[in-house]
Each structure stands twice: as structure tokens, then as C-alpha cells.
Amino acid sequence: MTESASVPPPPPPPPPPPPAVSPEAPPAPSSAMSSCLSTIVTYPSLLQHEESLSTQASGSLGAYDVMAWMSYLDSVDDVLDILKDGLHSLQVVDKHNKKNGNEGFSSHHVDTRTTIIQAGDRTFRISAAMAPGITHTPKSFQKEMDRVASARIMVGERAVSLLPGSYKLWKNHLLFRIALLESKSSMNNKNNMKEDGGSLMDKSSDDQQLVMNANQNRFPPYLLSSSTHQNHYQTTQSSFERSLVRLHKMPSIWLHYASFVSMYNPDRNPTTVRRIYDRALVALPASQHDRIWEDYLCWVTGILPGKTGQKGNGGGGDSGGDWTVISRKGFHKVKYGFESPLVAQWRKRGWGFNQITKKVAKSGNGSAEYLPTVPTETALRILRRHSTCYDTTFREDLATLCITRYSRYGEAASLLLQLLNNEGGGAFLSPNGTTRHELWLRFADVCTGHPKEAKVAGVDFDGIVRAVLKGQNVGGGNSGNGLGFEVFDNTKDDDDDQQQPTGKQSTPQALNHRLGEMEGTLWTRLAEYHVRAGDFELARSVYEEALDGITRVRDFSLVFDAYIKFEEGVIEALMELMEEEEEEMEEEVGEGKKESAAVADNEDLDILLGDINNSHNNPLSNDEDIGASADVELAISRAEHLTSRRPLLLNRVLLRQNPHNVGEWIKRSQLYLALDEGDMAASALEESLKAVNSRKAVNGSPSTLVLTLVDILENKQENVEGARKVLERVCSNGGYDFQDVEDLAQCHAAWVELELRQENWDMGLNLARRAVSGNLGGNNKKSGSKAARGLSRSLRLWNLLFDLEESLGTVQTTKDAYDRALELKVATPSHVLNYASFLRDKKYFEESFAAFERGIGLFPFPHAGAILLWKNYLTSFLERYEGSKTPRVRELFDRCLADCPPEESPEFYLLYGDYEETHGLTKRALGVYERMCNNVPPSEKYTAYRLYIAKAILYLGVTSARPIYEAAISALEDNGPAARICLEYAKMETGLREVDRARTVLVYGAQLADPRRDPEYWKAWHEFEVSYGNEETFREMLRVKRSVQAAFSTVNYNAAEMGAGVPQVETLGEDAALEMIAEREGVTVEKKPLVGGFVQGKKRTAEMADLGEVERRAARLREATAPAPAAGSDDEIDIDDIDGNEEEEEEQAPPLPLSAKNVKGVSEKAIPAAVFGGLAASANNDS
């Protein structure tokens, strides 16, 4: 606090008491001890602690009480904190004065303000100038604070000397020493940087100067070994050593010791720090080594532990992921809740790295990143020891460090190889989440990028990749050398392709499943490995081997693209080399122009003599140029040849995927033919016959391979004898095991056709006979196979044999062949027809009919071939005998129709009826048609009855069709055809002027015709009533129509059944029809008002409610239409029925004379009495 100078000065402090001497106290204090005690006595609160430690009361430990010493030290620390805060306030005031233009404490203007500070029950009055009551100036106050700090050190030394086994006292004492040294170092750094040209926080200085100043002033804060700071460092180090005499099992002491030495050692000697960590690992138990190793690795690598739960970035890709990242969890913080001393100090200063390549940004105080000063070999030895003796999973991080920081690529390759070999017996589990696929890619990247280093380290990348790709068990371990790997001695030799590798082998399928999509990548990396090593021919052989071994199209694309790029690179390199040589030679040519004319004459003479090889004076034509151009041409031809081979190589990959793919083998032969390589095409097909299994063949039949091979040998190479040998080997000697009979039959047929093309007629015929006989001849070891046994039933071979017998054989041999086929029951209906036709052509008619009989026995109804056989049989028989042998013909027709299904019988009935009409009796013909109507399926009955009716009318007259019509109406089940038959029946009766019969038929058929579905029927009846009926019959028609509509109202139809799309026919409405009838009959129709929703008409009694009444009314109408005198009546026809309860009838109007009628062209006729019903009788009685 600050007060005015008028405050009275405090009383002087009491004199210090004499020091208490205990019996066990150490000898008399030295000058340092005296100075310490003289400082302590000036602070009453501290003096109390000193007195309490000097007196040993009952129940107390006195100077051996740890808590008393801790309280004592805390009080001293509190005093130091207060003094430090006071000094800081004085510095702030001084800075404020400088900003206002004053000179601070050094100005001639004396600052009379006083600062009062209370610390340890002691009052300090501080002012810039000494005056009464002023105890200290700022400089003397700073010296006072140094004396208190020294006293604090002496008190701590006294405490640990009396209690050397107390961890609390030692840690408190050591931390105070480190903090004191750090505060002094920071003050010196600040002063030094001010002297060097300004603060590091000056924004105007550039970044390079900032980093340079930081590196110059951080280590060491003092440069002279004889300085007080050096002494303070040595005394602090001595204190650590003395504490470890008793506390060597305390890891915290070791960590603070190593952190102190690594940060404040003026010599920057990493050996000292390394020895401290090594001593700690030796002294501490293994359960506490994790605390030491975390700081140890941080000091060696400069990489700070990651935050809790942080995981490494194991990104994928062909480059092996983000493999430059090391991410380690802070185990110390996870386990104890706070970071280790070294890590905490580095984070506080912004030192170290979070990753190997990505650094921490500059801290707020402008300090630059810390670069570890540990030598490379020392760091590698420490890291190897950590990965071998403590944490084996650190090998991945060690490999990453070897690649990214230390450039030890050979060691990195060996470490990655150890991880891939699974030395522990199980799969390596990466703490960073790296997969095995990414480890492979990293290993390949290192070996291909640095092949010489990997080879020097003993990593045989070529042998490893080949062993893995070929499915060998690759092993590895720590034996063989000190790098933790061994060379694979069991790797298969490249030059000995037939040597079988030792150890358990895995199939290509299992290998591919294990490698996944790495096969093509590993091949390309292996080739790149040899390219970087300078072995171009070996790299080219690797590419060729890869193209011959991969089984995936994706891997093929990778390898082929890399191969093309390699060849293009070779061409570009050769072209550049050639251009450089041409430039050099052009320069030599320019110099050669200055030669003498005699030399030019000699050159002309050489040209005339044709000595083109004389090139000593023509540098453009020397041997080197010829060799360079030849190399370029060779490289270009190689690239072109590789490009032209791509379809074949891709086809080979597909065949390795499935060697039983017939289509790909055929495609391979076509590719060779396109390149005009017939021999290679034939060789490929020969290879396919050995590779393709007929039971597993896909994308085609195996016989296609044989036929294609024969075609190439015969047509492309004109090697008929070779084609014959191939067919003989396949067909006779069992050169290929066919699964399907048809495939083997195709080969036999191809052999026969080959002999026919060579005009070996007898040979071809004999081969066909032998094929169907089952006796293949030759050395046929597989004659008992299923395919060979089934040749005798092959239709292809029998068809071929029949054609050859008919063309080349005799009649008897042909008959024998057909008979043999019929006996074996392998003949088809077409064979029977051909056999019969052949016999008929040769005039063997009865034998042809016998062949038909045998065929019918083999193929009876309901076989589909029976129809064809019977039809041809009957046709041939009728053509042969025409009208003769009628009983035999009728017997054949009866046999045929007895077994023929109804669906197929109409054709035979028509043929039978036509025969009877032509050569038989009419009665029999009509009987045949009647049988047809009864036996055909329902869908054909309508057509059959129409034909029957037409034939009956033709032969017996129109009236004979009436019973047939009636039978048709009763037989037809479907309403539609029955209604149409009724309509045709009515038309026939109308044509006979039998109107009543026609009306009766129409009334009967009306119950079968739905108005919605069959409007044509009602249209025809409508026109009939308009033409031949009257009002009563028309109204009856309407009543029937309504009743039929009501009967069919519950039936639903779809659009097709309703006659969708049928054109609507316009007909007369009911009112128009009534008017037309009334006008025709000369009557007047009285129109009465209509009631909505009701239909006018006479009331019907109960007995007329059914359709049976319609027939009775029709009968009465027929009786009434008999010849009778016309009953004239002057009364008008009553249209509407009159209710029975009406007593009077309307008065009848007298008829108008004919002249009064406005009707012209209409004749009059008598109205039948039946039309008037009971009205006519009542009129007669009245008269």
C-alpha cells in the first residue's frame, strides 16, 4: 500500500534472540547460516516458527516434525510472494513514470510517494529517496527479497538435513530451487533481449529475427560457468542427487530432476539427461516405467503426447495413408490427472511438436519451436530400446520416425517387415488404427523409394513380394541380424519355375482372398523397385510375370498402365539422349567443314565408290548413332507390341478367373486369327481342350472348341489331315470327356461333313453308320461314358444318316436304317413321314401305309405328332385309292375319330364328310356332320351346327333345318351363340313368311340375349316388329326386353365382353315405332301425360308375370291370325289399360273416311280378330 511521507516511522524491530542449541543440533552455524538467521529474526511470524522448532514441548517432535517444517516453509513462501507483489507494483509505477516522461528512480525529481508493504508482521516503507521513516528504497527492497530467498533455501536445507527421508520436504525444497532459478533466468533473458535491440514482442521485428533472438536467449540464460547462476544450477543439481539417496523410488523426483537438467543445463549435454532417465529406469519398478518413458520419448523426439482419447490418422490410399503422424496418449495425465514436469514445461513455453512434420504455432511470448538436440544415433538407440523392451507397438512409430526424421529407410523397412510377419503369433494391432493393407503399402513405398538402403539393410523386397504373391509362408523374426528381421531363405528362385517351395502352400483363391486388391499394387511396386535400382530388364520381366499371374481386371489395368508408362519413359529417355548426341555431333560437323578440300574430295570419292561404312569423317553415321537409333526403334516396337497384346493379355486374365469359360477361349482364338497367327489360335484351342471341364463349362458348349479348331485347321491352315486326326482323337479315342451327348454328336457330325467335303462319300456314310451303332472303334478308353452310350439315340446323327442313306445308299439300306430307328424308338413323326414319303416315291405304297401304322403305334393320340401322321396317312390313302376301298377308308376314319381328342377332331370330321359327299352317301355325310356337332368342343359347336344346317338345307331343303336349329339351340351352352342361332332361325322363318313362328323364336331367344351384351339381337327383333308386327306385339317386345334386362341386371361384364368399340346402330325409339305402326295401320294414338319414373302400358296379371305367358300369348296370336272375316270396328284402339274400378268407358270416336285420312301410298287390310281380343266379341253382341 502507498501512503504519504508524514506517517510516523514504525518502531524498530526487537533484537534477535540467541539461537537455541539442542543436544542433537548441528555444530555452530556458518556465515551463511548467520545471515539466514539474521534475516529470519526480522520477521516476527517467521521467528515464531523458529522458536517452535527450537523448543521441544511434551508431545511434540520439535525439529523432527515434518508438518512444522512444511508450515515454516509455507510462511516463508508467503512472505516471498508478498515481497514479489510489492516489487512488481514498484516496477509498474516506474513504468508509468517513464511513460509520462519522468526518469523514474534515477531522475533528479525525487518522488516523495511512499509504498507501505506488510509481510511477516513486518512493515516496509519504500520510497525513491531516503527520509525519516523510510526503511527501504526500491533497490534495497529487492536486495531484501534476495536475502529472504536465500533464507528460504537455508531453511529448506536445514529441514531436509534433519529429515532426509521426507518426500514432502524434498519436493518442496527442490521445486522452490527450480522456480527460483527459472525466475532469475527469465529476468536475465528479458534484460539480455532488451540489450539486443528490443523486446521479442515488438511487432515491428520480422519472424526470422524473432526466432533468432529466442534461440540465442533461451539456452543458456547465462554464458559464464563461473557465474552465480552456474553455482545455483550446480547446487540445485547437488540437491537432487542428495534427495535421490533416500528417495530413489520416487518417480516424481526423477522426472523433475530430468526436466531440470534438460532445461537448465548450461552445457546442453544430452548425455547427462539420458543417464538420468536410464538411472530412473534402473531404480524404479517396471510398473512405474510408463511415467519415465513418456518424458523420455518427449525429450528424445520433441513430440508432445496427444490429448486424451486422440487417435492417429490412418488414412488409406495407395500411398499407405497419412503415415507421418505419431499420436500418443498422455498416459501420465490419464493416470494421475496432471502432466509430467517436462511436458508441462514444454507446453507452457510452446515448445515441441504435436506431430512429426506439423509443428506447434508460436507461443504467446514469441518463443519459437524447440528443436531436439539429441544426436540421431542416440535417439535411435533409445527408441529401439523402448520398442523392444517396453512397448512393442511403438515399432510402427519408430518406423515412421526413421522415414520422416532420421532418414533410416533400411531400418524402417525392417521394422515394417516385422509388423507384417506377426512375430507374436497374432495379427499386429496398431494403436494408431493402421490396417494391414496400409502397412503393406508403407512397406512397399519405403522399399521402392529407397531400394539400395533396403537391400543394404537385408530386406529382400523382391523375394518377399514373390513369396507373398505365390502363397508361400514368409517368416521373420529377430534372428539373423541385429535389426530385427531375417532374409527369406525359402523364397522361390526366379530362374527355377519348376522348383516347389517348401512349407505350407496356399491356393491362388486363398491368396487372392488374403491379399484382396493388393496383388496388382504389389506387382507394380516390385517393378518400380527394380526400376529405381537401375535393373530395367528385370523390371520388364516383373511386368511380364505380373501380367501372366494376376487374376483381376482391376489389377491388370494397374499393371498394364504402369508397364505402358515405363516403356514410354524409356522411349523419352532414349530420345533425349539421342537429341543430346545429335547436338554434339552437329557441333563436330560444323568444325569438320573447316577441313581441307582434299579431305572433301576423298569423301566424294568414297561416296562414288559406295563406301558407306566409311564414317570417320561423318560423325552422324558412326556406330554409336546407329546403336542409339536402334535402341529407340526397339523401345518403340516394344511399346507397340505391348499395346497390340492388350486384348490377349486381358483375355488371359479372364481365363485365369475361370478356365472353363468356353466363350473366352473362342475369343482368344479369334484374336490370334486377327493377328494372322493361325498356329497360336490352334494351340490356344488345343490348350482349351485340356483346361475346360465339360461339367463346369459356361458361356458355350465344349463341342464349339472342337468345331472351331477343326475349322481353323481345315480352312485357315489347309491341314485336312490334322483336322481329321483331331476329330478321330475326340470321337474315337476319347480325347475329351463330354458330359452332354449332343456335344459328342456334333463332333461326329462334323467328322462326317469333313469327309463329305473331301468327297469321301463311302467314308462319310460309314462314319455315320458307326456313330449311330454305338461301336465307335479305335482305342476308345471312354467308350462306356454316358455321352458315348447315348450316341445311338442322337437325333442329329440319325437325321444325318437318313439323308446320307437316301442320297448315297440303296433302298434296302435306307429301309433298314428307318426300321432300326423305329425299333429303337428314336424316330420322330417327321422321320415316319419322310420314311413313308420315301417309300411312296419308290412305289412301295403298302409299305408306306405300314410305316404310317408303325408311326401311329409309336405316337398315338394325344401326341402332337399323331395329328400330322393321321392327316398324311388319310390323305395319302385317299390319293392312292380315291373312291375305291370305301370300307377300309371308313374304318381308318372311325379309328382316327375314336381316339382323336375333341379339340383336334373337326379337321378329320370335315375330311370324312367331304369323302362321304364325294364318294359315299348323303345320309352318311349328314350323319358325319351330326357326329361332329356332338363331339366337337363347345367353342366349335356353333360353327359345326351352321355347317350342318347349311349341308341339310343343301341336300334336304329349308324345312329340314328346323329340327337341327332346335337341337343347336338346346345344345349350345353359351348364351351368345344360342341367341345368334335363334336369330338365324327367325330369319329363316321370316323368309318362309312364317311370322308367328319367327316371333316365337325371337321371344324364346330373347331370354338368352342380354341387351347390354348383344344389342344386335334386339335391333333385329325391333326391325322385325316394325316390319311385321303391330302395337300389341311391339309392346310385348318391350315388356320382354325389360324383363330380360331385370334378369341380367345382376350380371357384370368387362369392357371387352360388353362389345367395347362396336359401332352404335341408330334404331327407332319406342314412341317413334308406335307412331309408325299407327300410321301404317291407319289409327290415331292418343297421347297421355306421362308420370316421371313410370312406364306406360297395360297392367299385367299375375299369370303373365313369367316368360311362359309369352309363349301362350304367341300361340293365341297364331290362332287369331287364321283366315276369318274382318271384324270392323269404329272404335279407336285403347292404348292404356283402364282400371277395373272405373264404371264408364270413354266414348269411341267414329272412324274417319278414307278420303279424310292424310295417308298416301298405304293399302288397307283387315285387322285380325285376335288383335281386339274380347272387344270384338262385345262389339258383335252389341250389334
Side-chain angles (χ1 to χ4, degrees):
M1 57 181 295
T2 303
E3 298 181 357
S4 62
S6 61
V7 178
V21 180
S22 61
E24 300 179 359
S30 61
S31 60
M33 180 65 70
S34 301
S35 176
C36 171
L37 292 176
S38 63
T39 303
I40 292 296
V41 297
T42 59
Y43 295 90
S45 61
L46 302 182
L47 185 60
Q48 294 177 3
H49 288 285
E50 189 71 31
E51 292 175 351
S52 64
L53 292 173
S54 300
T55 60
Q56 185 173 3
S58 60
S60 64
L61 299 177
Y64 297 97
D65 188 357
V66 176
M67 299 307 298
W69 282 108
M70 290 296 298
S71 178
Y72 191 5
L73 295 175
D74 290 342
S75 298
V76 179
D77 291 339
D78 293 340
V79 172
L80 280 174
D81 292 339
I82 294 174
L83 296 180
K84 187 183 297 184
D85 294 340
L87 180 61
H88 178 68
S89 63
L90 292 175
Q91 292 175 353
V92 170
V93 172
D94 183 54
K95 184 178 180 180
H96 179 71
N97 292 334
K98 288 181 179 181
K99 185 180 296 185
N100 294 333
N102 298 328
E103 295 295 334
F105 296 135
S106 62
S107 174
H108 63 277
H109 299 285
V110 179
D111 188 0
T112 59
R113 290 181 298 178
T114 303
T115 302
I116 300 176
I117 299 175
Q118 294 286 343
D121 296 337
R122 181 181 176 183
T123 303
F124 295 90
R125 295 178 179 270
I126 307 170
S127 179
M130 293 299 297
I134 301 301
T135 59
H136 293 80
T137 61
K139 293 183 178 180
S140 61
F141 181 75
Q142 188 171 2
K143 294 179 180 180
E144 177 67 21
M145 189 176 65
D146 294 337
R147 288 193 294 270
V148 174
S150 300
R152 168 66 173 80
I153 293 175
M154 292 306 300
V155 172
E157 290 289 343
R158 289 170 57 199
V160 297
S161 62
L162 291 174
L163 298 170
S166 175
Y167 169 75
K168 291 184 179 181
L169 292 177
W170 273 113
K171 184 176 181 181
N172 187 289
H173 178 57
L174 295 174
L175 291 180
F176 177 77
R177 278 186 170 277
I178 295 174
L180 183 61
L181 182 59
E182 181 179 357
S183 62
K184 291 184 178 181
S185 299
S186 62
M187 293 178 61
N188 290 338
N189 283 336
K190 185 181 298 184
N191 295 332
N192 292 336
M193 283 185 278
K194 288 180 181 180
E195 295 174 0
D196 289 340
S199 174
L200 286 172
M201 295 300 293
D202 188 4
K203 297 182 180 180
S204 61
S205 60
D206 57 0
D207 294 340
Q208 294 182 354
Q209 186 67 26
L210 179 68
V211 175
M212 183 181 66
N213 292 338
N215 291 330
Q216 289 177 356
N217 293 283
R218 187 186 306 112
F219 293 115
Y222 32 80
L223 300 177
L224 297 177
S225 60
S226 61
S227 64
T228 58
H229 301 284
Q230 173 72 6
N231 294 333
H232 194 171
Y233 169 77
Q234 292 179 352
T235 56
T236 304
Q237 185 181 13
S238 176
S239 298
F240 272 108
E241 291 291 343
R242 286 186 288 111
S243 67
L244 291 174
V245 174
R246 296 290 185 89
L247 304 178
H248 59 277
K249 297 296 183 183
M250 297 296 175
S252 180
I253 301 298
W254 287 107
L255 294 176
H256 283 90
Y257 187 17
S259 174
F260 167 75
V261 174
S262 65
M263 297 184 65
Y264 300 104
N265 184 7
D267 297 334
R268 292 187 178 182
N269 187 4
T271 304
T272 305
V273 182
R274 178 180 59 80
R275 288 175 178 174
I276 292 173
Y277 280 118
D278 293 342
R279 289 169 55 195
L281 292 173
V282 172
L284 293 175
S287 60
Q288 295 181 344
H289 284 189
D290 56 344
R291 302 182 63 180
I292 303 300
W293 274 117
E294 181 174 322
D295 272 27
Y296 204 175
L297 295 180
C298 181
W299 173 73
V300 171
T301 62
I303 302 173
L304 297 174
K307 296 181 180 179
T308 303
Q310 181 179 353
K311 296 182 179 180
N313 183 10
D318 291 341
S319 61
D322 189 4
W323 63 325
T324 61
V325 175
I326 288 184
S327 176
R328 298 181 293 108
K329 294 182 179 179
F331 296 103
H332 194 283
K333 187 172 183 180
V334 172
K335 189 173 182 179
Y336 302 102
F338 57 91
E339 291 181 332
S340 60
L342 182 68
V343 175
Q345 290 293 332
W346 280 24
R347 290 193 189 278
K348 180 179 178 182
R349 290 164 172 78
W351 298 350
F353 309 96
N354 284 335
Q355 300 173 356
I356 292 180
T357 57
K358 297 181 180 179
K359 301 178 181 180
V360 180
K362 292 190 292 291
S363 61
N365 57 7
S367 60
E369 296 81 0
Y370 169 70
L371 300 177
T373 57
V374 182
T376 300
E377 189 61 33
T378 302
L380 287 175
R381 288 179 179 271
I382 295 172
L383 296 176
R384 289 190 200 116
R385 180 152 57 97
H386 174 68
S387 62
T388 304
C389 303
Y390 181 72
D391 184 10
T392 57
T393 62
F394 188 75
R395 290 176 296 174
E396 180 185 358
D397 295 339
L398 177 57
T400 305
L401 287 169
C402 290
I403 296 170
T404 58
R405 175 172 294 180
Y406 302 119
S407 300
R408 298 295 181 91
Y409 302 105
E411 185 174 354
S414 65
L415 290 171
L416 291 172
L417 184 58
Q418 291 179 15
L419 300 180
L420 292 172
N421 283 337
N422 302 331
E423 296 175 4
F428 171 72
L429 184 61
S430 172
N432 298 328
T434 307
T435 62
R436 186 173 180 82
H437 177 78
E438 293 170 353
L439 287 177
W440 266 111
L441 294 179
R442 294 182 185 182
F443 176 66
D445 288 339
V446 175
C447 293
T448 56
H450 308 277
K452 295 182 179 180
E453 291 85 345
K455 193 171 183 179
V456 170
V459 178
D460 186 9
F461 182 70
D462 183 274
I464 293 169
V465 173
R466 290 180 184 277
V468 171
L469 291 174
K470 295 180 180 179
Q472 295 183 357
N473 283 335
V474 291
N478 293 328
S479 60
N481 51 49
L483 297 177
F485 66 92
E486 63 180 6
V487 180
F488 296 99
D489 297 329
N490 59 344
T491 304
K492 185 176 179 181
D493 190 4
D494 298 339
D495 299 330
D496 188 6
D497 295 338
Q498 303 298 328
Q499 179 183 359
Q500 296 296 331
T502 60
K504 183 179 178 181
Q505 301 297 318
S506 60
T507 60
Q509 290 78 8
L511 173 64
N512 295 339
H513 176 72
R514 182 176 63 188
L515 291 178
E517 297 182 354
M518 287 180 56
E519 187 179 4
T521 304
L522 289 179
W523 278 116
T524 54
R525 297 301 172 85
L526 179 59
E528 185 180 354
Y529 169 80
H530 291 295
V531 170
R532 290 180 179 271
D535 299 331
F536 299 114
E537 293 299 329
L538 188 57
R540 188 175 286 107
S541 66
V542 169
Y543 279 123
E544 292 292 342
E545 184 179 358
L547 293 176
D548 290 338
I550 55 179
T551 58
R552 289 183 177 86
V553 177
R554 176 184 178 276
D555 296 334
F556 170 79
S557 300
L558 290 175
V559 175
F560 188 82
D561 294 342
Y563 196 2
I564 286 293
K565 290 181 181 179
F566 166 72
E567 294 292 351
E568 292 176 354
V570 171
I571 295 173
E572 291 177 0
L574 293 176
M575 293 294 292
E576 291 178 359
L577 181 62
M578 189 174 178
E579 290 177 359
E580 292 177 358
E581 292 178 354
E582 288 179 356
E583 291 178 359
E584 294 178 358
M585 293 187 179
E586 287 178 358
E587 294 178 358
E588 294 179 1
V589 169
E591 295 177 357
K593 292 181 179 180
K594 300 179 181 179
E595 293 181 354
S596 62
V599 176
D601 295 338
N602 293 332
E603 290 178 356
D604 295 338
L605 182 60
D606 292 335
I607 294 174
L608 292 175
L609 295 175
D611 188 7
I612 59 174
N613 294 325
N614 186 11
S615 59
H616 63 279
N617 291 325
N618 187 9
L620 292 178
S621 60
N622 55 23
D623 295 337
E624 295 181 357
D625 292 339
I626 295 175
S629 60
D631 292 339
V632 172
E633 292 177 359
L634 178 60
I636 294 174
S637 62
R638 279 177 175 171
E640 293 176 351
H641 180 61
L642 177 62
T643 305
S644 63
R645 288 168 53 209
R646 189 182 190 282
L648 286 171
L649 295 173
L650 179 59
N651 175 264
R652 192 64 179 175
V653 172
L654 297 176
L655 288 177
R656 278 193 291 271
Q657 289 181 356
N658 183 11
H660 309 290
N661 192 334
V662 177
E664 290 298 329
W665 284 109
I666 300 297
K667 183 178 179 181
R668 186 171 185 81
S669 65
Q670 293 175 354
L671 291 174
Y672 277 122
L673 291 176
L675 297 175
D676 198 13
E677 297 180 2
D679 295 337
M680 294 300 297
S683 300
L685 292 174
E686 288 285 356
E687 182 183 357
S688 68
L689 293 177
K690 299 177 183 179
V692 176
N693 189 341
S694 60
R695 294 168 180 82
K696 300 179 182 179
V698 295
N699 197 16
S701 61
S703 61
T704 311
L705 300 174
V706 180
L707 300 181
T708 307
L709 176 58
V710 171
D711 180 69
I712 292 175
L713 293 174
E714 182 185 2
N715 299 325
K716 303 298 181 181
Q717 298 184 351
E718 297 181 356
N719 186 5
V720 179
E721 188 62 28
R724 184 179 291 111
K725 289 181 179 180
V726 170
L727 290 171
E728 183 178 1
R729 184 177 75 246
V730 172
C731 298
S732 299
N733 300 330
Y736 187 83
D737 185 14
F738 288 100
Q739 175 70 13
D740 193 2
V741 179
E742 187 63 22
D743 292 336
L744 184 57
Q746 288 183 9
C747 296
H748 278 278
W751 193 2
V752 173
E753 292 172 357
L754 174 65
E755 298 298 340
L756 295 178
R757 285 194 294 270
Q758 302 302 320
E759 298 182 358
N760 297 329
W761 316 115
D762 296 336
M763 184 65 181
L765 183 58
N766 293 332
L767 289 175
R769 291 172 180 172
R770 188 177 66 178
V772 298
S773 66
N775 183 16
L776 300 181
N779 186 17
N780 185 14
K781 299 180 181 180
K782 299 182 180 180
S783 59
S785 63
K786 180 181 177 181
R789 292 194 304 269
L791 283 178
S792 59
R793 307 188 65 85
S794 174
L795 293 179
R796 179 187 296 273
L797 294 179
W798 280 108
N799 290 332
L800 180 61
L801 178 61
F802 293 153
D803 293 340
L804 293 178
E805 289 289 355
E806 293 181 8
S807 302
L808 304 176
T810 62
V811 176
Q812 186 60 40
T813 56
T814 305
K815 290 168 62 177
D816 293 341
Y818 277 110
D819 291 339
R820 177 62 177 168
L822 292 174
E823 290 176 3
L824 295 176
K825 296 183 179 181
V826 297
T828 62
S830 61
H831 292 160
V832 176
L833 294 177
N834 294 335
Y835 187 19
S837 177
F838 172 78
L839 294 174
R840 187 171 59 251
D841 294 340
K842 300 299 181 180
K843 306 302 181 181
Y844 295 95
F845 297 104
E846 288 300 330
E847 292 185 11
S848 69
F849 298 150
F852 276 119
E853 291 291 343
R854 295 180 66 182
I856 292 170
L858 289 176
F859 307 103
F861 286 112
H863 194 278
I867 302 172
L868 187 61
L869 290 176
W870 273 110
K871 184 177 179 181
N872 285 272
Y873 186 14
L874 295 172
T875 303
S876 300
F877 197 89
L878 294 177
E879 290 178 356
R880 170 60 180 166
Y881 296 107
E882 295 182 354
S884 60
K885 296 189 178 183
T886 302
R888 187 175 174 183
V889 175
R890 289 172 180 170
E891 180 186 0
L892 290 177
F893 276 112
D894 291 339
R895 284 174 53 198
C896 176
L897 294 174
D899 299 330
C900 183
E903 293 80 7
E904 309 295 341
S905 60
E907 186 176 2
F908 296 102
Y909 276 114
L910 293 176
L911 187 62
Y912 192 8
D914 182 68
Y915 174 77
E916 290 292 347
E917 290 180 28
T918 305
H919 304 287
L921 302 176
T922 302
K923 183 178 180 180
R924 282 185 172 275
L926 294 178
V928 170
Y929 292 128
E930 184 178 2
R931 286 173 59 190
M932 180 180 66
C933 294
N934 295 330
N935 295 330
V936 295
S939 60
E940 301 290 339
K941 283 184 179 293
Y942 174 70
T943 305
Y945 271 108
R946 292 192 63 186
L947 178 62
Y948 184 21
I949 291 170
K951 296 294 183 180
I953 292 175
L954 177 63
Y955 295 113
L956 302 179
V958 178
T959 56
S960 63
R962 286 174 177 171
I964 302 176
Y965 273 117
E966 294 174 0
I969 293 172
S970 61
L972 292 176
E973 298 176 358
D974 193 4
N975 293 339
R980 290 196 291 272
I981 287 293
C982 290
L983 194 59
E984 294 177 1
Y985 191 10
K987 290 182 178 178
M988 185 195 74
E989 294 293 349
T990 303
L992 297 175
R993 308 299 294 176
E994 295 290 343
V995 178
D996 294 335
R997 294 178 63 89
R999 184 177 288 110
T1000 303
V1001 173
L1002 291 173
V1003 170
Y1004 180 81
Q1007 59 184 333
L1008 305 176
D1010 187 358
R1012 296 175 298 171
R1013 191 176 180 184
D1014 196 359
E1016 294 294 332
Y1017 183 88
W1018 295 97
K1019 175 179 176 295
W1021 194 3
H1022 184 279
E1023 294 176 353
F1024 173 78
E1025 292 296 343
V1026 170
S1027 301
Y1028 303 101
N1030 52 28
E1031 183 180 0
E1032 182 66 22
T1033 59
F1034 190 83
R1035 288 184 180 278
E1036 186 64 23
M1037 184 267 295
L1038 297 179
R1039 184 194 68 80
V1040 173
K1041 183 177 181 180
R1042 286 193 294 270
S1043 63
V1044 171
Q1045 286 177 342
F1048 283 98
S1049 62
T1050 58
V1051 181
N1052 297 324
Y1053 305 103
N1054 54 28
E1057 293 177 346
M1058 290 290 294
V1062 178
Q1064 299 294 331
V1065 181
E1066 296 183 0
T1067 58
L1068 295 175
E1070 297 177 3
D1071 296 339
L1074 288 175
E1075 292 178 359
M1076 180 178 178
I1077 294 173
E1079 183 179 0
R1080 185 185 61 191
E1081 296 181 355
V1083 297
T1084 303
V1085 181
E1086 182 180 358
K1087 294 182 181 181
K1088 293 185 177 181
L1090 301 177
V1091 180
F1094 295 92
V1095 180
Q1096 285 188 339
K1098 289 187 176 181
K1099 292 184 178 180
R1100 298 172 177 82
T1101 58
E1103 59 270 13
M1104 294 178 61
D1106 57 350
L1107 294 177
E1109 181 63 21
V1110 177
E1111 297 181 1
R1112 291 190 292 271
R1113 288 176 59 87
R1116 289 196 297 270
L1117 287 173
R1118 286 195 296 270
E1119 294 177 357
T1121 53
S1129 178
D1130 297 333
D1131 296 336
E1132 184 179 357
I1133 299 176
D1134 189 7
I1135 296 177
D1136 295 330
D1137 193 7
I1138 303 174
D1139 295 339
N1141 54 2
E1142 294 181 359
E1143 297 178 355
E1144 297 181 356
E1145 296 180 354
E1146 296 181 359
E1147 183 178 357
Q1148 301 291 334
L1152 297 175
L1154 184 59
S1155 60
K1157 297 178 181 179
N1158 297 325
V1159 179
K1160 298 180 180 180
V1162 178
S1163 60
E1164 293 182 342
K1165 66 177 181 179
I1167 299 176
V1171 175
F1172 298 97
L1175 296 178
S1178 61
N1180 294 332
N1181 295 333
D1182 294 338
S1183 60

